[in-house]
């Protein structure tokens, strides 16, 4: 099938992939331009990202690149690309979560960002950010790092009598980090510390510390810097988000996992919105974190889980200032993902001759006419196929024909 019933060629929906082609699909340059991937861990997809983001930075003035990685660890990467702090090896080892620092394509991205900034005025330098919470698949981080950093910032710049507690009190309530990071708590709520008396008191104190930060903004920005204040806000968002996440880890209701997924994406959304206050942002994450419709997942013995993604939340706030370009792919043969069936979106696009290109989703939906494709069944849990129903909710579609084995 290469035409619809009206004879419109599917090839006419595709064009070469570059920054100009992406922006031509949009009514204006968005404040947040998000690029999704259907699977993690494939450098071919990250190389496509690097090439596209480089063009958007150099030609369209984007000055922040944010990826799905720990927002606190990412501060070390940002210091490196902006100021040259630390070595490339050090920031790749300690500046990423989820094992993403081992990626050669991520390493090349950081190296290029540092080279781009060399010799530029600070106001024109490219910034890096992680926008995920400090959350791994098997556990959530202790709130210690974020809470202590927030407290330290405030203690250094506001009167002590404005603070709701002392550093010693926080340390006592936090206790050993192991009580927070217990991997068994992900599947056994009884192993979570999130509803202990100490955790409940910490939630109140964290809220009060964030309130002090907000109330003292007119003093804190000139006394420190906008960057320093922004980081303190990040610490506050992360501390309150982690404490909320741990609270729901201890929940025993059927909605527990849905709550956790929603909290994670809400943390991502708040980080993206804060970055967008600083200027235009390029974001990169899994398609499911960036799409406008509700995200879904099947996990263990749970029924289908549904929650609003970070992209849906940001889109609700920014409207046309948010754009989402999804990525679909044909094969990942070393993962058992072979040639897509011809009656799927991926199968139709796989029949076109180019190796990678940009598709106009609106034109593709029109070309498909009254015979919509079926959903592709993923043979590997780590790859999520494109839902045909989502075509009208994305602004652009990058198609990569084959992901070669490394």
């Amino acid at each position: 099938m290469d035409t619809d019933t009206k004879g419109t060629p599917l090839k006419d929906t595709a064009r070469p992939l570059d920054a100009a082609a992406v922006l031509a699909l949009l009514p204006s340059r968005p404040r947040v331009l998000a690029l999704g991937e259907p699977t993690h861990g494939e450098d071919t997809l990250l190389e496509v990202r690097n090439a596209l983001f480089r063009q958007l930075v150099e030609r369209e003035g984007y000055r922040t690149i944010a990826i799905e990685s720990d927002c606190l660890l990412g501060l070390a990467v940002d210091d490196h690309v902006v100021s040259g702090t630390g070595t490339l090896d050090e920031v790749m080892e300690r500046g990423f979560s989820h094992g993403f620092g081992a990626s050669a394509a991520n390493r090349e991205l950081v190296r290029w960002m540092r080279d781009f900034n060399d010799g530029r005025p600070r106001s024109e330098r490219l910034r890096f950010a992680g926008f995920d919470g400090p959350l791994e698949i098997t556990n959530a981080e202790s709130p210690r790092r974020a809470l202590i950093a927030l407290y330290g910032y405030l203690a250094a710049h506001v009167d002590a009598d404005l603070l709701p507690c002392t550093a010693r009190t926080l340390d006592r309530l936090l206790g050993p980090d192991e009580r927070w990071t217990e991997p068994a708590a992900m599947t056994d709520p009884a192993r979570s510390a999130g509803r202990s008396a100490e955790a409940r008191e910490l939630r109140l104190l964290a809220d009060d510390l964030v309130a002090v930060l907000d109330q003292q903004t007119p003093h804190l920005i000139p006394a420190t810097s906008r960057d320093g204040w922004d980081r303190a806000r990040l610490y506050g968002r992360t501390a309150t988000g982690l404490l909320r996440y741990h609270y729901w880890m201890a929940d025993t209701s059927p909605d527990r996992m849905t709550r956790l997924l929603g909290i994670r994406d809400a943390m991502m959304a708040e980080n993206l919105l804060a970055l967008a206050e600083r200027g235009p942002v390029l974001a990169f994450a899994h398609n499911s974190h960036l799409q406008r419709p509700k995200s879904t997942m099947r996990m263990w013995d749970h029924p289908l889980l549904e929650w609003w993604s970070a992209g849906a939340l940001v889109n609700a706030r920014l409207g046309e200032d948010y754009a989402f370009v999804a990525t679909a792919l044909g094969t990942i043969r070393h993962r058992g993902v072979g040639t897509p069936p011809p009656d799927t979106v991926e199968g139709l696009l796989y029949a076109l001759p180019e190796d990678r290109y940009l598709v106009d989703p609106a034109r593709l939906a029109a070309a498909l006419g009254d015979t919509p494709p079926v959903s592709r069944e993923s043979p590997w849990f780590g790859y999520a196929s494109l839902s045909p129903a989502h075509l009208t909710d994305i602004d652009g579609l990058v198609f990569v024909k084959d992901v070669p084995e490394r």
Side-chain angles (χ1 to χ4, degrees), residues 124-144:
E124 297 177 13
R125 291 177 192 171
L126 186 56
R127 305 290 298 271
F128 177 92
F131 70 96
D132 200 355
L135 306 168
E136 292 285 357
I137 294 173
T138 57
N139 66 282
E141 184 176 298
S142 163
R144 173 181 297 278

Side-chain angles (χ1 to χ4, degrees), residues 266-321:
M267 292 174 70
M268 292 174 130
E270 289 303 317
N271 286 335
L272 283 176
L273 289 165
L275 292 169
E277 292 177 11
R278 191 170 67 194
V281 178
L282 298 170
F284 183 78
H286 197 279
N287 287 332
S288 63
H289 289 305
L290 299 172
Q291 65 189 37
R292 291 183 175 95
K294 273 190 171 181
S295 296
T296 60
M297 177 187 294
R298 292 194 184 277
M299 182 179 291
W300 304 312
D301 58 349
H302 291 274
L304 185 68
L305 303 172
E306 296 184 313
W307 74 100
W308 290 111
S309 75
L313 296 170
V314 172
N315 179 74
R317 299 269 288 273
L318 296 186
E320 288 189 353
D321 257 338

Side-chain angles (χ1 to χ4, degrees), residues 5-6 35 63 75 121 128 142-143 160-161 165 172 181-182 199 206 247 277 279 302 324 332 359 379 382 386 398-399:
T5 56
K6 299 177 182 178
L35 174 66
R63 286 296 181 269
L75 296 175
F128 177 92
S142 163
D161 57 2
C165 63
R172 174 179 59 81
T181 59
E182 168 59 63
Y247 178 86
E277 292 177 11
H302 291 274
F324 171 46
I332 325 174
V359 177
L386 180 72
V398 173
F399 187 75

Side-chain angles (χ1 to χ4, degrees), residues 370-404:
D370 298 327
T371 55
V374 301
S375 294
R376 182 184 190 185
E377 293 295 325
S378 174
W380 174 53
F381 74 94
Y383 158 68
S385 59
L386 180 72
S387 170
H390 289 181
L391 279 177
T392 56
D393 293 302
I394 60 180
D395 300 297
L397 177 61
V398 173
F399 187 75
V400 176
K401 197 165 190 176
D402 298 294
V403 175

Side-chain angles (χ1 to χ4, degrees), residues 174-221:
L174 285 162
D177 286 349
E178 292 77 15
R179 68 195 293 252
W180 299 96
T181 59
E182 168 59 63
M186 183 56 71
T187 54
D188 182 0
R191 302 294 295 273
S192 171
R195 295 195 178 183
S196 64
E198 294 86 354
R200 292 174 186 272
E201 187 171 352
L202 282 168
R203 289 189 76 184
L204 293 174
L205 292 175
D207 184 70
D208 281 342
L209 288 168
V210 171
V212 172
L213 178 66
D214 290 342
Q215 294 158 11
Q216 293 297 310
T217 295
H219 159 67
L220 289 169
I221 291 178

